[in-house]
């Protein structure tokens, strides 16, 4: 019995001792020599974009790599949302990158196009690939674009309006007008500055009623406490 207990105690102690010895030597000698660096998750970026920021923190030994500083350097890239870095013994380093996702387009006061991320912040310029399925927000400045983005995504989450039914949003000093809403030619809905959610619900109800009656709506001005002004589409 005593011998068994001694053996159970001795084996873990030997393992810990061996790992300690390996660590002590590996800190100063490249026993775990870095041979491979793999970058995962990039689509908008290239390997060189990540490796250029990681390179100053690479070392011959896996033990000597400063993971935290490397992460800080990579996350500082405007396209990067999050980074996970892990040592894969005995020879590799794996960098998993979560890029910011293009979620909307913003047209600023000077007519310049910017791509907004999942938080409504601009993070890069426009490219041809960004035209598919992205809502266009017209706002003079960045704060206006972010305010409009926050509002419409709140409406999406609550199911008041569907993302695919909205094409454009105009934001000016708190006033909002939206375009789209399920019609091929687009319906303009003027929400104004106050009670925008309530006005949108009212406009959606008007649209549903118009569809059932076979009316084609061009514009709904929902800025009135009682009812709304409706313009029918001609032809």
């Amino acid at each position: 019995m005593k011998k068994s207990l001694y053996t159970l105690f001795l084996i873990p102690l030997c393992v810990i001792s061996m790992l300690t010895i390996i660590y002590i030597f590996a800190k100063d000698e490249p026993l775990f020599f870095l041979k491979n660096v793999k970058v995962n998750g990039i689509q908008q970026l290239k390997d060189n974009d990540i490796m250029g920021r990681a390179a100053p923190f690479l070392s011959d030994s896996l033990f000597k790599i400063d993971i935290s500083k490397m992460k800080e350097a990579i996350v500082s890239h405007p396209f990067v949302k999050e980074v996970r870095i892990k040592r894969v013994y005995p020879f590799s380093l794996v960098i998993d990158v979560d890029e910011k996702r293009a979620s909307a387009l913003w047209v600023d006061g000077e007519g310049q196009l910017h791509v907004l991320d999942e938080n409504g912040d601009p993070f890069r310029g426009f490219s041809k690939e960004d035209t598919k399925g992205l809502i266009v927000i017209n706002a003079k400045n960045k704060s206006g674009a972010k305010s409009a983005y926050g509002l419409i995504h709140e409406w999406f989450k609550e199911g008041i309006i569907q993302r695919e039914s909205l094409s454009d949003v105009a934001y000016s000093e708190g006033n909002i007008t939206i375009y789209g809403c399920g019609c091929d030619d687009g319906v303009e809905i003027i929400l104004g500055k106050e009670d925008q959610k309530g006005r949108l619900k009212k406009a959606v109800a008007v649209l549903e009623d118009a569809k059932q009656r076979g009316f084609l709506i061009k514009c709904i001005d929902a800025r009135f406490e009682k009812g709304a002004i409706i313009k029918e589409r001609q032809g």
Side-chain angles (χ1 to χ4, degrees):
M1 182 67 178
K2 289 184 179 180
K3 187 175 181 180
S4 299
L5 290 174
Y6 179 75
T7 303
L8 289 173
F9 173 77
L10 186 60
I11 292 174
L13 183 62
C14 291
V15 172
I16 293 171
S17 299
M18 288 177 64
L19 291 174
T20 302
I21 292 169
I22 291 172
Y23 175 74
I24 291 171
F25 279 99
K27 283 196 307 179
D28 302 316
E29 298 294 335
L31 297 180
F32 289 96
F33 194 81
L34 179 63
K35 292 184 179 179
N36 304 302
V37 179
K38 185 176 182 182
V39 179
N40 297 323
I42 57 174
Q43 294 179 342
Q44 303 169 84
L45 294 168
K46 297 180 179 178
D47 281 358
N48 291 340
D49 296 320
I50 301 300
M51 291 306 301
R53 292 173 181 257
F57 307 100
L58 293 176
S59 174
D60 289 342
S61 172
L62 280 175
F63 282 108
K64 291 185 177 181
I65 296 172
D66 193 325
I67 298 293
S68 60
K69 288 186 178 179
M70 185 183 292
K71 286 177 67 175
E72 288 178 9
I74 296 173
V75 169
S76 67
H77 193 288
F79 288 21
V80 176
K81 179 171 64 175
E82 187 178 348
V83 176
R84 295 173 299 280
I85 303 174
K86 58 184 177 182
R87 299 178 178 93
V88 180
Y89 296 102
F91 306 120
S92 301
L93 190 73
V94 177
I95 303 174
D96 292 314
V97 179
D98 288 340
E99 294 179 330
K100 293 179 180 178
R101 183 170 56 87
S103 297
L105 299 178
W106 165 41
V107 183
D108 66 21
E110 297 179 353
Q112 298 296 315
L113 270 170
H114 311 267
V115 179
L116 303 182
D117 65 14
E118 303 97 314
N119 296 316
D121 295 312
F123 71 101
R124 64 173 172 84
F126 173 77
S127 66
K128 292 180 180 179
E129 291 76 18
D130 295 320
T131 57
K132 297 180 180 179
L134 294 181
I135 297 163
V136 179
I137 298 174
N138 292 270
K140 290 181 180 179
N141 52 45
K142 183 168 64 174
S143 62
K146 185 162 186 173
S147 295
Y149 180 91
L151 284 171
I152 62 175
H153 277 266
E154 179 184 338
W155 300 337
F156 293 155
K157 287 181 180 178
E158 294 185 20
I160 301 172
I161 191 171
Q162 300 300 313
R163 179 188 295 269
E164 57 271 16
S165 70
L166 194 61
S167 61
D168 296 72
V169 177
Y171 183 94
S172 178
E173 298 179 353
N175 291 283
I176 287 187
T177 300
I178 64 175
Y179 302 86
C181 302
C183 179
D184 291 339
D185 296 324
V187 177
E188 177 185 6
I189 299 179
I190 304 170
L191 300 175
K193 187 180 290 188
E194 300 174 355
D195 189 25
Q196 293 155 337
K197 185 192 296 185
R199 291 173 177 178
L200 178 58
K201 289 180 178 179
K202 178 171 59 177
V204 170
V206 169
L207 270 178
E208 290 298 321
D209 182 66
K211 287 180 182 178
Q212 292 178 7
R213 295 171 180 266
F215 297 148
L216 297 176
I217 303 298
K218 180 180 180 181
C219 176
I220 299 174
D221 190 340
R223 292 175 294 176
F224 300 92
E225 185 176 347
K226 296 181 179 180
I229 294 179
I230 300 171
K231 292 182 182 178
E232 288 188 56
R233 194 176 302 278
Q234 301 299 320

